[in-house]
Amino acid sequence: MIKNIKLLNKIAKVGTDKLDRAYFNVGEDVDAPYGIMVRSANMLDMEFNTELRAIARAGAGVNNIPIDRCTEAGIVVFNTPGANANAVKELAICGLMLASRNVVGGVEWAKALTEDVAKQVEKGKSKFGGVEVYGKTLGVIGLGAIGGMVANTAVHLGMDVVGCDPYLSVEGAWNLNHHINKAAQYDDVYACADYLTLHVPSTPQTKGMINKDTIAKMKDGVRILNFSRADLVVAEDMKEAMESGKVAAYVTDFPTEAVLQIPGVVAIPHLGASTEESEDNCAVMAAQQLSDYMMNGNIKNSVNFPAISMPRTTDCRLCILHKNIPSMLAKFTSLCSEQGINIENLTNKSRGDVAFTMIDVNGKPADASIDMLKSLEAVMRVRVL
């Protein structure tokens, strides 16, 4: 059966072309979608049809998607971590320079000149003097795909780099330049940084992490970059810090009404991932993950279900999304045995309160058997592939 994939935003064609039209009907106007591809469209109040199986976000942040509601309905939500990392890294390095040199103020001033321009430039340019990054200390909060790349680039700019990431993966650690110093806690970074750059997601733990208390722990004249999320920084506290001179510069990719009222802030209109290459990379990754889940049940880069993958060994696969409670595997295998369903291969992964089980079986089970699986307590959804 052809499965409908609905596009809620413009998704790069190089990505949607990865969805085989022999199996998928892709477009903005399709009804009853099995899958959705989205970038920034707000889905928080969106009603989901019962056929919906997965949502693929062409980007990293998923704050526009109701994750808890999706999980309860057995809808797998994907994102594309790292696909836009280079684009954001490059803009963050640009932000580093904008925080050091008053380029924005100088450009705006120069644009207003109307006559005897060369003379006025030489006379007035001293108002826009800055500092150099070479030899300064960059503090990096979050050393994941983007933060790690920013840290590595800063080393090559001649900066001393100190980073902290309590959740740093082994793979992420291997990718870091050996000159980067690892701090045990954020406070250690705050205390030594001439520049501070934020590369963590918005969570209950990180929301408002840059506030009057944490700013007080920083050097006088610190320059802060935020290319992660607006709500990591308390705008009113940032305003006070900039007015007092405690913070010398604040560059953010997330303009808000409050931030735009702060004199001297450089507010970029959320351009971090706005490159042709980034949009292509995100679209391709999102489409490939969505296709693999639809066709094979494999999950990679889901934000609400565990990563799981198994080679196909039979023509029929059962994919069971369920709560992570004791004895679920025993119930599945017992039911299969009772119904005369031969299990060829099986794998199970859990993530917090949820789990995912894949079972390759010989022959397609009867509808009544599948209904029994669906009726088991704690089962959210059963897919037969």
Side-chain angles (χ1 to χ4, degrees):
M1 183 180 73
I2 300 293
K3 295 175 172 57
N4 288 340
I5 307 295
K6 187 176 183 66
L7 308 179
L8 292 188
N9 297 101
K10 182 180 179 182
I11 306 294
K13 186 175 182 297
V14 68
T16 58
D17 282 350
K18 297 294 182 181
L19 297 169
D20 191 336
R21 295 312 192 270
Y23 302 100
F24 301 108
N25 174 37
V26 183
E28 297 180 3
D29 301 322
V30 301
D31 296 320
Y34 263 64
I36 290 176
M37 294 187 71
V38 62
R39 290 176 60 197
S40 58
N42 187 347
M43 301 181 66
L44 297 179
D45 298 319
M46 183 177 176
E47 292 187 13
F48 297 140
N49 54 290
T50 57
E51 296 89 350
L52 184 62
R53 301 294 189 264
I55 298 170
R57 161 78 165 97
V62 290
N63 56 324
N64 58 323
I65 302 171
I67 303 300
D68 290 344
R69 185 154 60 94
C70 289
T71 304
E72 292 172 4
I75 299 169
V76 179
V77 179
F78 299 93
N79 69 345
T80 57
N84 61 10
N86 188 69
V88 179
K89 180 260 302 191
E90 289 186 359
L91 193 65
I93 296 300
C94 174
L96 187 65
M97 301 307 165
L98 295 176
S100 303
R101 313 286 290 271
N102 191 1
V103 175
V104 174
V107 168
E108 292 301 316
W109 174 76
K111 286 167 60 178
L113 301 178
T114 57
E115 56 184 41
D116 202 8
V117 172
K119 184 177 180 180
Q120 289 193 64
V121 165
E122 290 307 311
K123 183 178 179 180
K125 66 182 182 180
S126 60
K127 295 184 294 184
F128 307 101
V131 296
E132 298 180 15
V133 302
Y134 185 85
K136 304 296 195 309
T137 298
L138 175 67
V140 184
I141 303 297
L143 291 165
I146 298 170
M149 293 176 73
V150 172
N152 287 343
T153 302
V155 169
H156 293 295
L157 291 175
M159 302 187 78
D160 295 323
V161 181
V162 179
C164 182
D165 190 335
Y167 309 103
L168 182 62
S169 67
V170 173
E171 182 180 1
W174 274 107
N175 289 330
L176 293 176
N177 188 294
H178 70 278
H179 291 294
I180 296 169
N181 298 301
K182 318 303 190 300
Q185 54 188 357
Y186 294 154
D187 284 358
D188 296 335
V189 179
Y190 298 150
C192 69
D194 299 303
Y195 296 79
L196 184 74
T197 184
L198 308 175
H199 299 288
V200 294
S202 175
T203 68
Q205 292 72 38
T206 62
K207 185 176 180 180
M209 67 185 299
I210 304 302
N211 54 56
K212 61 182 179 181
D213 295 329
T214 52
I215 291 173
K217 299 174 183 178
M218 301 178 193
K219 285 184 173 183
D220 292 343
V222 65
R223 300 164 193 267
I224 299 176
L225 314 177
N226 180 9
F227 288 85
S228 291
R229 280 293 178 263
D231 62 8
L232 300 183
V233 176
V234 178
E236 292 190 5
D237 294 351
M238 179 60 70
K239 181 179 180 181
E240 280 186 26
M242 290 194 68
E243 288 175 346
S244 70
K246 177 69 177 182
V247 174
Y250 178 48
V251 180
T252 178
D253 200 27
F254 305 96
T256 64
E257 290 83 354
V259 163
L260 293 174
Q261 300 305 312
I262 304 175
V265 165
V266 176
I268 301 167
H270 201 183
L271 300 181
S274 295
T275 66
E276 294 178 8
E277 296 86 348
S278 172
E279 292 180 6
D280 287 353
N281 292 341
C282 288
V284 168
M285 184 183 290
Q288 290 175 332
Q289 292 170 173
L290 184 62
S291 177
D292 196 18
Y293 178 65
M294 292 293 187
M295 302 294 293
N296 301 303
N298 296 324
I299 296 178
K300 182 179 181 181
N301 294 326
S302 170
V303 300
N304 62 337
F305 281 92
I308 187 168
S309 178
M310 184 171 73
R312 294 291 290 261
T313 55
T314 65
D315 291 336
C316 185
R317 169 169 288 183
L318 307 180
C319 298
I320 309 170
L321 297 89
H322 57 94
K323 293 181 181 178
N324 183 24
I325 60 176
S327 302
M328 292 305 295
L329 280 180
K331 291 180 180 179
F332 299 152
T333 55
S334 294
L335 191 149
C336 286
S337 177
E338 292 168 3
Q339 296 297 309
I341 301 171
N342 183 54
I343 296 176
E344 183 77 21
N345 204 0
L346 179 151
T347 188
N348 167 271
K349 297 291 182 181
S350 63
R351 176 177 179 168
D353 295 332
V354 299
F356 192 102
T357 299
M358 286 197 293
I359 306 174
D360 282 354
V361 299
N362 296 121
K364 183 179 179 181
D367 290 343
S369 300
I370 300 303
D371 289 340
M372 289 181 185
L373 275 175
K374 292 179 179 178
S375 68
L376 290 174
E377 185 180 1
V379 169
M380 304 168 183
R381 188 186 293 273
V382 177
R383 299 180 62 219
V384 182
L385 303 178

